[in-house]
């Protein structure tokens, strides 16, 4: 789902925060970390998507992260 992520890439610019908050509880320091936290539990609805993300090449993973940070 992309809609809940709209505006995430602008967070630091708009708020002036030194670090971007990632995840609802701010435990992830980077976009990549936030993606990986979503698959922390096999019972997670996002576990399949995280597994698919991990299977991507580094170039494709970097492209996904760049996209998320741009929206």
């Amino acid at each position: 789902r992309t809609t809940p992520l709209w505006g995430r890439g602008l967070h630091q610019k708009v708020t002036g925060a030194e670090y971007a908050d990632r995840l609802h509880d701010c435990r992830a320091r980077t976009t990549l970390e936030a993606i990986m936290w979503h698959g922390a539990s096999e019972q997670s609805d996002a576990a399949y998507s995280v597994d698919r993300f991990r299977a991507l090449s580094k170039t494709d993973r970097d492209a996904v992260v760049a996209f998320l940070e741009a929206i």
Side-chain angles (χ1 to χ4, degrees), residues 2-15 20-22 67-71:
T2 304
T3 308
L5 300 172
W6 288 353
R8 297 309 312 146
L10 295 175
H11 172 78
Q12 284 177 271
K13 186 178 284 190
V14 171
T15 65
D21 62 336
R22 302 283 185 232
F67 168 75
L68 292 172
E69 291 177 349
I71 61 173

Side-chain angles (χ1 to χ4, degrees), residues 23-43:
L23 293 178
H24 59 91
D25 60 2
C26 302
R27 68 184 151 182
R29 294 167 290 184
T30 66
T31 300
L32 179 60
E33 212 173 88
I35 292 168
M36 294 307 185
W37 272 111
H38 277 84
S41 166
E42 287 299 317
Q43 290 78 27

Side-chain angles (χ1 to χ4, degrees), residues 37-55:
W37 272 111
H38 277 84
S41 166
E42 287 299 317
Q43 290 78 27
S44 167
D45 291 338
Y48 175 76
S49 296
V50 173
D51 287 343
R52 300 281 296 157
F53 177 81
R54 286 181 178 148

